[in-house]
Amino acid sequence: MKQAAPTTIDQAEVDRFSAMAAEWWDPQGKFRPLHKFNPVRLTYIRNHVAAHFDRDPKSDKPLSGLRILDIGCGGGLLCEPMARMGADVLGADASRTNVEVAAIHAEQSGVSVTYEAVTSEELAARGERFDVVLNMEVVEHVADVDLFLGSCAEMVKPGGLMFVATINRTLKARALAIIGAEYILRWLPRGTHQYEKLVRPEEIEAPLAASGMNVIDRTGVFYNPLQDQWSMSRDMDVNYMMLMERPQKA
Amino acid sequence: MTTENLDVLVCGAGYVGLSAAVAIKLAAPSLAIAVIDAAPPEVWRKDQRAAAIAAGAKRMLTTLDVWQTIEPEAQPINEMIVTDSRTSDPVRPVFLTFGGEIEDGEPFAHMVPNVSIVKALRDKASAIGMPIYQSAAASALDLAEHAARVETADGRRFSAKLVVAADGVRSMLRDMAGIRTQHWGYDQSGIVTTVAHERPHNGRAEEHFLPSGPFAILPLTGNRSSLVWTERTRDAERLVKEDDFVFEAELERRFGHHLGALSLEGGRRAFPLGLTLAREFVRPRLALAGDAAHGIHPVAGQGLNLGFKDVAALAETVVEANRLGLDIGSMAVLERYQIWRRFDTVRMGVTSDVLTRMFSNDIAPLRLIRDFGLGLVDRMPAMKRYFIDQAAGIPDESGPRLLRGEAI
């Protein structure tokens, strides 16, 4: 890997996820929380994309004709549903192992997704453009948040959308998402999230505003341990999602 | 041999399997769905039983556009009475009466012959182009990671993202998947038969708790009623084999004379009562529904309605997951169905179990307690309302949409 140009890749993080790659698709395995969370974030994405591009969310292929980038795609947990909903999907991840696991799974599932081991800077430099960029559960794992978000924003077409989901850097998040999830409930391997790397909403909005993006929605996501269910909430102190739009040029 | 590739393969063409297939197909027309059934063609027409369709299930059938076909054969239950007595008591004290409406003009249940339900669902399946293969018993099941494979005894092969086992209380698929069951037997059997009577029943259902078990008179269209008559298994088997004269005499002793002279219609059969619960309702790529998940004996008439509740929950889970592009046969999706249904099923099973044990005996103190209890309930409108709402089976906001009469 060349290190000359500034990069957003944190090699230790890439290695950590590569080691768990085989488990991406086990709903009872290390990524169980992500499987439980998936319907909630998919609903959020689908409903907003459908409303924005004037589609019927209950139709068969509500995302058909849309080009979507899933940056930090991991094992492809978002890419496959997006492709099934009709989108033309590129799944990108800095970990070659992840991308390989994802590609094999998609082929076996009979879903058409393009996967590439590539960084957002490289994609942006190539001039790639997308209707929707998904940036889900990634910013807390990159080395340079501003540079990363800037390169993602660059790839959003005018009139296109970008989704960001992550964990807030608050004491509540430290208690619930790190100590609770990794040390007490043991849902996630220890070290999955580091407090210092968590990102506050304003730290996402600032670089994106500078890239010409407007925030059009934000929501908290709340986990109820008694019901073992995730749901939307106004409380953005722990998990949250944001939706940004690049305005159409006049 | 060619393999037919499907999204959903439903095993069992009873009302549970058929309504599951129809409900999913109507809401998600792009999914490829087929139904296989072990019985030879036309055998389904021989079912002489009738069932009480609760208001929630009726709302679902209306939404699926099949109730309209069933309605001419459906008898609304306008009123229900419960008595507790010895067979020889000349007058059976009525402990509990229920008015039959949950809302204006919506009875809490209808009595419908099973054949009418199945026929309406088969007609609907055929209208939407859904194949139903008869004489196609599942002979092999392989729940592989990306698709389930099913082979049938008549040489068909299917590959499906999701297999729905609606193949009854002795489900072959459940056994092939290695899902174990818990069974409680009661050494009781329900004799099921139909009688014609001289005078109209006026839509009144009667449940008499006799010492040998409940004796239910359920109104059918015309001057006819469907009976569920519970006896110890040995006695039940003896009774169904007796000649008509003896059977009719025994029947009249229990039925009473309030509806005039009785005559038997069609045959009679005894079904052993028991409670069979599957330990799991789902496996990767497999979901159990109806009696395959929970065979509950008919004391409270909830077997069919539990089956329809499964269908409503499973169809909604599958359709919503499909609309999100999720893999409809994955555990991440099927877990939701299991959580949704298990609690309700276990509660219903326990209720039926307690009812059976409490009411099928002639022990004086127990009888006093239960009569006191029934009499108490009769004087408490809120309590009655609760029972009627439970029997009507219309869920609140957290329940499946089809049971509230809304499309998925």
Side-chain angles (χ1 to χ4, degrees):
Chain A
M1 188 166 187
K2 58 181 196 300
Q3 290 291 339
T7 178
T8 65
I9 298 305
D10 181 329
Q11 195 56 44
E13 296 274 330
V14 174
D15 294 344
R16 192 182 352 264
F17 280 92
S18 297
M20 300 192 285
E23 294 206 40
W24 277 110
W25 286 94
D26 178 4
Q28 315 296 342
K30 291 200 171 78
F31 294 101
R32 178 178 161 80
L34 213 48
H35 283 275
K36 297 293 288 184
F37 183 39
N38 223 13
V40 176
R41 60 183 189 167
L42 279 167
T43 305
Y44 183 76
I45 295 167
R46 181 200 60 189
N47 290 352
H48 277 289
V49 172
H52 188 81
F53 292 97
D54 206 18
R55 310 290 176 86
D56 174 7
K58 288 189 173 185
S59 66
D60 186 25
K61 303 254 183 270
L63 308 186
S64 64
L66 297 176
R67 187 161 194 246
I68 295 185
L69 169 67
D70 181 12
I71 191 78
C73 65
L77 261 58
L78 273 179
C79 293
E80 286 189 24
M82 291 290 146
R84 283 204 198 89
M85 285 192 275
D88 169 14
V89 182
L90 173 63
D93 201 287
S95 156
R96 189 163 293 282
T97 322
N98 277 348
V99 164
E100 280 164 10
V101 168
I104 291 167
H105 192 275
E107 200 198 326
Q108 287 172 334
S109 306
V111 183
S112 168
V113 181
T114 309
Y115 286 106
E116 201 181 334
V118 64
T119 66
S120 59
E121 312 81 272
E122 286 163 343
L123 283 170
R126 252 162 44 188
E128 299 274 6
R129 292 296 178 269
F130 299 89
D131 297 295
V132 179
V133 173
L134 301 178
N135 201 320
M136 310 298 278
E137 279 60 63
V138 185
V139 287
E140 69 272 28
H141 301 292
V142 302
D144 184 336
V145 173
D146 287 5
L147 189 63
F148 172 70
L149 286 173
S151 65
C152 289
E154 201 184 322
M155 291 187 276
V156 179
K157 289 181 190 170
L161 299 175
M162 179 154 105
F163 290 83
V164 181
T166 188
I167 303 173
N168 206 339
R169 194 171 67 251
T170 59
L171 290 177
K172 199 159 143 191
R174 182 178 208 161
L176 295 176
I178 299 185
I179 301 172
E182 294 177 18
Y183 289 84
I184 298 174
L185 296 173
R186 308 256 173 103
W187 278 348
L188 291 169
R190 290 181 190 184
T192 301
H193 291 112
Q194 279 135 42
Y195 181 68
E196 308 70 42
K197 299 199 72 160
L198 301 183
V199 188
R200 295 200 168 127
E202 56 271 23
E203 293 163 351
I204 287 175
E205 281 175 40
L208 288 174
S211 312
M213 304 284 289
N214 297 333
V215 177
I216 54 178
D217 189 60
R218 63 192 100 201
T219 180
V221 192
F222 172 75
Y223 175 76
N224 181 333
L226 293 178
Q227 294 180 317
D228 190 22
Q229 258 175 4
W230 290 87
S231 53
M232 303 284 205
S233 141
R234 256 183 300 201
D235 176 2
M236 291 178 61
D237 284 352
V238 187
N239 293 81
Y240 65 95
M241 299 194 278
M242 289 170 99
L243 172 58
M244 267 81 49
E245 175 194 26
R246 176 175 296 289
Q248 289 279 4
K249 280 180 192 127
Chain B
M1 212 171 1
T2 57
T3 298
E4 193 173 335
N5 284 309
L6 299 168
D7 294 296
V8 184
L9 176 68
V10 177
C11 299
Y15 49 78
V16 171
L18 289 171
S19 57
V22 166
I24 296 170
K25 185 74 182 175
L26 286 177
S30 67
L31 294 181
I33 307 176
V35 182
I36 59 173
D37 190 74
E42 308 302 323
V43 165
W44 59 272
R45 291 183 195 274
K46 294 183 184 154
D47 190 343
Q48 295 191 340
R49 287 171 295 173
I53 294 194
K58 188 204 125 193
R59 287 189 184 186
M60 176 171 96
L61 293 169
T62 306
T63 310
L64 301 182
D65 194 31
V66 293
W67 179 253
Q68 296 77 341
T69 320
I70 295 171
E71 196 156 24
E73 319 270 328
Q75 168 65 47
I77 298 181
N78 300 321
E79 190 195 4
M80 190 165 73
I81 63 161
V82 179
T83 75
D84 184 6
S85 48
R86 283 179 218 95
T87 313
S88 55
D89 290 350
V91 175
R92 293 178 185 162
V94 172
F95 283 103
L96 201 50
T97 57
F98 290 106
E101 286 181 3
I102 46 162
E103 277 171 27
D104 283 345
E106 187 177 12
F108 82 94
H110 283 79
M111 283 302 295
V112 184
N114 283 7
V115 170
S116 308
I117 309 170
V118 171
K119 178 166 191 318
L121 286 165
R122 290 184 79 101
D123 288 352
K124 188 72 190 174
S126 128
I128 58 177
M130 171 124 51
I132 303 172
Y133 303 107
Q134 296 295 153
S135 306
S139 56
L141 171 72
D142 174 22
L143 300 174
E145 192 186 343
H146 295 277
R149 275 179 283 278
V150 172
E151 288 177 28
T152 64
D154 63 335
R156 294 176 191 278
R157 277 187 182 193
F158 299 92
S159 165
K161 289 269 160 205
L162 171 65
V163 173
V164 177
D167 51 348
V169 70
R170 284 187 289 275
S171 169
M172 293 292 293
L173 283 170
R174 184 188 62 209
D175 294 347
M176 285 191 265
I179 296 176
R180 298 184 37 218
T181 57
Q182 183 101 30
H183 178 80
W184 295 266
Y186 298 101
D187 189 33
Q188 282 181 323
S189 289
I191 301 167
V192 178
T193 189
T194 304
V195 294
H197 35 75
E198 231 173 352
R199 286 197 280 276
H201 46 54
N202 295 320
R204 187 165 86 167
E206 303 177 19
E207 181 124 4
H208 303 285
F209 287 106
L210 303 177
S212 58
F215 181 90
I217 303 173
L218 303 158
L220 296 173
T221 51
N223 285 354
R224 297 180 309 138
S225 290
S226 171
L227 302 185
V228 181
W229 168 6
T230 319
E231 289 288 339
R232 273 170 286 274
T233 296
R234 202 170 23 128
D235 297 338
E237 276 163 11
R238 182 181 54 78
L239 275 165
V240 294
K241 284 189 201 115
E242 292 284 5
D243 58 43
D244 282 3
F245 180 78
V246 175
F247 184 78
E248 238 169 279
E250 287 291 326
L251 175 67
E252 245 168 48
R253 273 182 62 210
R254 290 162 177 83
F255 196 104
H257 300 283
H258 58 296
L259 295 180
L262 303 177
S263 62
L264 292 169
E265 261 198 11
R268 51 189 186 241
R269 278 184 66 186
F271 297 88
L273 304 186
L275 175 57
T276 305
L277 271 184
R279 299 214 173 173
E280 301 141 86
F281 284 15
V282 298
R283 278 285 168 87
R285 313 236 160 260
L286 178 71
L288 308 184
D291 286 352
H294 43 71
I296 285 178
H297 75 75
V299 63
Q302 292 296 340
L304 169 130
N305 295 299
L306 270 183
F308 280 138
K309 285 182 183 179
D310 293 349
V311 169
L314 180 62
E316 187 167 326
T317 303
V318 167
V319 168
E320 284 196 340
N322 183 58
R323 283 189 189 138
L324 289 176
L326 292 167
D327 178 349
I328 57 172
S330 68
M331 275 306 267
V333 168
L334 296 178
E335 244 188 359
R336 181 179 172 216
Y337 164 65
Q338 168 156 285
I339 291 167
W340 218 356
R341 290 303 305 142
R342 258 198 93 92
F343 176 72
D344 188 38
T345 304
V346 171
R347 187 189 57 175
M348 192 65 77
V350 169
T351 309
S352 302
D353 188 66
V354 170
L355 280 177
T356 309
R357 289 173 196 282
M358 248 188 94
F359 285 98
S360 297
N361 61 69
D362 197 16
I363 304 162
L366 255 184
R367 195 157 156 146
L368 211 65
I369 293 169
R370 73 199 185 211
D371 292 352
F372 181 68
L374 287 176
L376 209 59
V377 170
D378 200 41
R379 262 163 266 138
M380 293 164 71
M383 197 75 165
K384 273 166 105 166
R385 185 83 240 159
Y386 172 79
F387 279 122
I388 283 288
D389 285 348
Q390 285 295 306
I394 296 172
D396 62 13
E397 290 296 299
S398 67
R401 289 203 289 270
L402 282 171
L403 297 175
R404 298 199 300 269
E406 296 161 21
I408 299 172

